[in-house]
Amino acid sequence: KGKPIVFRTLDIGGDKVLSYYHNAQEQNPGMGLRSIRFSLKNKQVFAQQIRAILPAGYEADLRIMFPMISSISEFIEAKEVVNKCIEELSKAGIKHNDKPKLGIMVELPSVVYLIDDFAEIVDFFSLGTNDFIQFMLGVDRTNENVESFYVPHHPAVIRGLKAVIDGALAKGKEVSICGDMAKQKEYAKLLIGMGLRTMSIEPIFMADIQRMINEIDIAEVQELAKKVLEQSTTEKIASLLGISEN
C-alpha cells in the first residue's frame, strides 16, 4: 500500500523463452522478434496482459514498462494498446486503473540519441544494463567466446548511461537501473555519482548495497564519476573504480 508497483510487459526472446510458445528458429534471436516487438506483432496477447494488469492495479500506484523500445513510434503504438484496453474496461464497467504511468526499459543505443524526445512523453525509465552493454558493444552476453569483450566499464557504456540519466532528470522523470551493474558495489557507487537514485536488485544483494550507500560521501562519488567520464579507455576506468580486468 502506498508503494509503486511496476509491471514489465512480456519480455520473450533472446535468452528468455516461454515453455508454451515455440517460436520459429532465428539466426540471431537476441536481435530478433522479441520483447515489445513480439507484443506489437501479437497484439491479442499484448492486450490480454494489459487487461489483466489494469484491474489488478486499481487504486494503486501502477506503472507499466515496455522492454526493448527502440523508437518513439514503438512507444506510441504500445501506449495506444493500453489506452484501448482502458476504454474497453470502462465500457465493460470493470474497475481498473485508468491512469497508469508508462515507462520504457533503456536497452538499445538508439534511445540514448532520442532521450530528450522520450523524456517528453515517457513517465519513467529503467536502464537495463545487461542488454544495454550487449547492444552498445555488439557482444552476445551468452556467448563464452566473446565474454572478454563484454565490459560494463567501457567508456561508451558509461557515457551512454550518463546521457540517459541526465536526459531523464532534466525533464523531472525518474530513472532507475537493473541488471548486474546495480548489484556490484564498484559500479553502484559510480552510478550514484552520475546522479542515479533508484536501483532494482535481487534481495540477496540488498544488504551489501545498502551498507555501501550509507557509507559513501556524495561529493566523493560525484568527483569519481567526473574523472571516469573523462577517460577514453577501459583500463583507466578500471583503475579508478578498483576493478581487476584479469
Side-chain angles (χ1 to χ4, degrees):
K1 186 177 181 180
K3 300 290 181 68
I5 177 72
V6 183
F7 285 90
R8 174 168 54 173
T9 59
L10 189 61
D11 202 3
I12 181 178
D15 58 344
K16 306 178 187 78
V17 296
L18 298 178
S19 61
Y20 58 83
Y21 176 73
H22 302 286
N23 59 317
Q25 291 294 318
E26 294 182 304
Q27 289 188 339
N28 192 346
M31 300 179 75
L33 186 63
R34 54 175 292 200
S35 305
I36 196 64
R37 297 171 181 174
F38 175 88
S39 294
L40 294 178
K41 283 274 190 180
N42 297 273
K43 286 186 178 176
Q44 184 178 359
V45 176
F46 189 29
Q48 188 174 22
Q49 183 182 20
I50 299 300
R51 284 195 298 268
I53 291 173
L54 294 172
Y58 178 62
E59 294 188 333
D61 181 4
L62 176 64
R63 306 176 185 196
I64 301 174
M65 181 170 66
F66 307 126
M68 207 178 172
I69 289 284
S70 66
S71 69
I72 298 291
S73 298
E74 281 178 334
F75 175 77
I76 292 173
E77 189 176 355
K79 183 177 180 178
E80 287 173 349
V81 172
V82 175
N83 289 338
K84 184 177 180 181
C85 289
I86 289 173
E87 185 180 330
E88 291 172 351
L89 290 168
S90 295
K91 288 181 178 179
I94 298 172
K95 290 183 178 181
H96 63 284
N97 190 313
D98 62 353
K99 292 182 180 178
K101 292 179 181 177
L102 303 180
I104 67 169
M105 288 196 72
V106 180
E107 301 167 276
L108 299 175
S110 60
V111 177
V112 176
Y113 298 97
L114 293 170
I115 189 62
D116 292 337
D117 302 279
F118 271 113
E120 293 283 353
I121 61 173
V122 168
D123 295 318
F124 65 95
F125 297 88
S126 177
L127 283 156
T129 57
N130 293 350
D131 269 342
F132 186 81
I133 296 165
Q134 170 174 256
F135 291 117
M136 179 66 79
L137 302 181
V139 179
D140 181 355
R141 60 190 175 92
T142 65
N143 186 339
E144 295 179 357
N145 294 320
V146 292
E147 61 182 359
S148 62
F149 295 97
Y150 185 87
V151 183
H153 52 278
H154 189 290
V157 171
I158 301 299
R159 293 179 192 181
L161 294 174
K162 176 62 171 171
V164 173
I165 293 169
D166 287 350
L169 297 181
K171 297 290 174 64
K173 301 300 173 69
E174 182 180 305
V175 56
S176 63
I177 199 160
C178 62
D180 292 340
M181 284 187 79
K183 68 188 182 187
Q184 298 179 51
K185 288 185 283 188
E186 296 85 358
Y187 293 131
K189 191 180 298 185
L190 171 64
L191 291 163
I192 292 170
M194 293 198 300
L196 197 80
R197 294 294 180 269
T198 305
M199 297 180 181
S200 176
I201 58 176
E202 297 98 318
I204 192 173
F205 300 107
M206 287 179 65
D208 280 346
I209 296 297
Q210 187 64 57
R211 192 177 302 112
M212 179 275 293
I213 291 172
N214 290 337
E215 294 173 353
I216 64 171
D217 181 288
I218 289 294
E220 287 183 4
V221 293
Q222 287 176 335
E223 183 61 26
L224 171 66
K226 181 181 178 182
K227 290 179 180 178
V228 166
L229 287 161
E230 292 172 348
Q231 308 306 315
S232 58
T233 68
T234 58
E235 292 80 7
K236 290 181 179 179
I237 293 176
S239 177
L240 285 169
L241 297 179
I243 295 172
S244 172
E245 290 208 300
N246 296 326

